[in-house]
Amino acid sequence: MKYYDKLIFDLSKAGRQGYSLPSRTWDATLADLPAGLTRSEAPALPQVSELDVVRHYTNLSQMNFGVDSGFYPLGSCTMKYNPKINEEIAAMPAFAGIHPLQPSETVQGVLRVYKELAHALSSITGMAEFTLNPFAGAHGELTGLMIIRQYHLSRGDVKRTRVIVPDSAHGTNPASAAVCGLEIVQVKSKENGLVDVEDLKPLLDDTIAGIMMTNPNTLGLFEKDIKEIAALVHECGGLLYYDGANMNPLIGMVRPGDMGFDVLHLNLHKSFSTPHGGGGPGAGPVGVAAHLVPYLPVPKVVEDEDGLLSVVDADGQACGQISGFMGNFGVLLRAYTYILMLGKQNVRMVGPLAVLGANYIKESLKDCYKLPIESVCKHEFVFDGLLDQSTGVTTLDIAKRLLDYGFHAPTIYFPLLFHQAIMIEPTETESKETLDGFIEIMRHIAAEAIADPESLKTAPHTTPVRRLDETTAARQPVLRFCDMQ
Ligand SMILES: *Cc1c(COP(=O)(O)O)cnc(C)c1O
């Protein structure tokens, strides 16, 4: 164990401190606090110098893995690089120092960014208008479904309480529908991984509020029948919801609005480069076609004839309010910067490069790993474990072994359609050399599985902690120093 693997509490020495403040002048006011709110004892914090704190956090940060430390092919998550200029812009005092309750005349620039980002996202997706308020993809899904429900209710169409979700959908889709109070109806996929149109047809009636789809779907496959599906769902009076978390391969090439979708959300923390991991912060803006614009949630940013922007808090037609203020502005700024830095020309390169990288890895590894669906993929694809499964080496073993070689593991055991699923998404921000390095290691691991399966079953060997009991870690997390004693 390295010296600084010690817990900061163990470095504590009574009286040591990392700051010095002028002597106290506020004792008098302390007496004014209600008795129940004052402490009788000092809090049990570690007493350490500034240098101890710096080393503690620097060492902790190095025990972690991030896009800034290595290749992160986590399928379905689009872990692309977040250029540092995004951080510089987000940290500018003019943006970082504002308060959400400031009068709108004092934050015209900020409201302009809100409007312009909404406009850029509308152009990229082919929608009429956006709200940037939702905080995450799933939050966007809920917002979109509330808009759909409000649309039906406003027409007196009260029977539409069921929403169709494909069996390949991301887990948040049925969850959001349930949170919205809608009943979930599942539609099956065919052998080739695409939604079965014949299975869909009998589900369509006047109780259907809409269908939620992602395209490409969670297998990374383009739903070729989308135009027919859109026509069928619209014919029965339902709306089409597009889960745009998989928008990356389509950016600059194909627009969901043109496929017939009425509502969508985007994951700025996936497709638009803003950092994510560890649960946030994120942004899940929602775009709508023209007939749904009135139902967007409040607050809304509106512009008067003189170009003055203001915030509208109440609007009878809106589906409601889904966030305290107007979204995670720091995340919105990063996405806006990312789009402006690429410019119109280069935005078009994002999708094709992401697709090329995924297909390159797939074709380079399919003689070692089982490829259940052969067709050309979009931004990601799924292997179903090793081709030779006689060694007993599982997908979990492969994922853990990759950590020893300095790569983050792909997504594993998702989607649920395959028992040994390994879902790989390289994103367009990786060089061919990095992809080649990953391919080489994946081939090496496949060879190790035959020559030395034990080294895989006991992996990882070089990480700060070895193989964890992930279920207990998730169900009974130990979050306090005192509990560890
Ligand atoms: C990531 C993802 C989501 C959920 O997004 P969050 O921001 O994690 O809530 C929804 N659908 C798909 C297809 C995704 O990949």
Side-chain angles (χ1 to χ4, degrees), residues 28 34 95 133 139 143 146 190 193 204 234 248 271 273 284 291-293 363 375 386 410 412 440:
F95 291 125
N133 299 7
H139 197 197
T143 308
M146 285 165 65
K190 292 181 291 191
L204 296 168
H234 281 150
N248 207 43
S271 319
S273 98
H291 55 290
L292 298 177
V293 170
E363 293 303 312
S375 50
L386 284 159
I412 57 172
E440 188 189 322

Side-chain angles (χ1 to χ4, degrees), residues 112-152:
R112 181 62 61 193
V113 167
Y114 188 102
K115 266 288 194 212
E116 290 199 356
L117 176 59
H119 180 69
L121 298 178
S122 297
S123 316
I124 288 171
T125 56
M127 306 311 277
E129 186 83 80
F130 261 83
T131 174
L132 310 181
N133 299 7
F135 293 123
H139 197 197
E141 290 170 25
L142 175 64
T143 308
L145 291 168
M146 285 165 65
I147 291 170
I148 289 178
R149 193 178 53 185
Q150 188 73 358
Y151 165 81
H152 291 309

Side-chain angles (χ1 to χ4, degrees), residues 76 136-138 141 170 172-173 214 218 243 245-246 265 267 269-270:
S76 191
E141 290 170 25
H170 193 271
T172 51
N173 290 186
T214 180
T218 52
D243 175 342
N246 286 341
H265 83 264
N267 276 38
H269 48 290
K270 290 179 180 169

Side-chain angles (χ1 to χ4, degrees), residues 235-283:
E235 224 163 83
C236 97
L239 297 183
L240 273 91
Y241 183 89
Y242 180 79
D243 175 342
N246 286 341
M247 183 70 198
N248 207 43
L250 305 193
I251 292 177
M253 301 302 288
V254 178
R255 306 192 315 166
D258 301 333
M259 291 182 224
F261 284 96
D262 303 284
V263 193
L264 60 75
H265 83 264
L266 296 172
N267 276 38
L268 297 189
H269 48 290
K270 290 179 180 169
S271 319
F272 294 87
S273 98
T274 77
H276 77 295

Side-chain angles (χ1 to χ4, degrees), residues 114 129-134 139-140 142-148 150 263 284-288 292-302 311-323 325-326:
Y114 188 102
E129 186 83 80
F130 261 83
T131 174
L132 310 181
N133 299 7
H139 197 197
L142 175 64
T143 308
L145 291 168
M146 285 165 65
I147 291 170
I148 289 178
Q150 188 73 358
V263 193
V286 169
V288 292
L292 298 177
V293 170
Y295 311 113
L296 285 169
V298 285
K300 302 177 182 185
V301 178
V302 294
V311 178
V312 173
D313 282 322
D315 176 341
Q317 282 187 290
C319 68
Q321 178 163 0
I322 44 85
S323 56
F325 297 100
M326 289 152 65

Side-chain angles (χ1 to χ4, degrees), residues 321-433:
Q321 178 163 0
I322 44 85
S323 56
F325 297 100
M326 289 152 65
N328 266 329
F329 189 70
V331 174
L332 304 180
L333 257 182
R334 289 173 175 90
Y336 183 59
T337 307
Y338 169 76
I339 292 170
L340 290 187
M341 288 304 290
L342 282 176
K344 234 180 194 162
Q345 282 301 312
N346 295 318
V347 159
R348 289 181 211 286
M349 298 292 290
V350 169
L353 284 175
V355 171
L356 184 62
N359 280 285
Y360 180 62
I361 296 178
K362 171 168 72 71
E363 293 303 312
S364 306
L365 289 175
K366 69 179 188 186
D367 60 329
C368 308
Y369 293 85
K370 192 169 151 197
L371 183 63
I373 296 175
E374 280 273 354
S375 50
V376 175
C377 66
K378 286 288 173 285
H379 60 312
E380 61 191 358
F381 65 94
V382 183
F383 283 133
D384 190 9
L386 284 159
L387 208 51
D388 176 0
Q389 297 194 352
S390 65
T391 59
V393 168
T394 64
T395 280
L396 180 67
D397 303 328
I398 298 162
K400 294 294 181 192
R401 189 64 172 145
L402 271 171
L403 305 179
D404 281 335
Y405 293 110
F407 290 118
H408 196 281
T411 294
I412 57 172
Y413 302 110
F414 176 85
L416 306 176
L417 267 42
F418 306 107
H419 291 304
Q420 291 294 326
I422 307 176
M423 191 180 190
I424 298 175
E425 176 180 12
T427 87
E428 74 287 357
T429 56
E430 300 297 337
S431 66
K432 176 169 181 292
E433 289 70 27

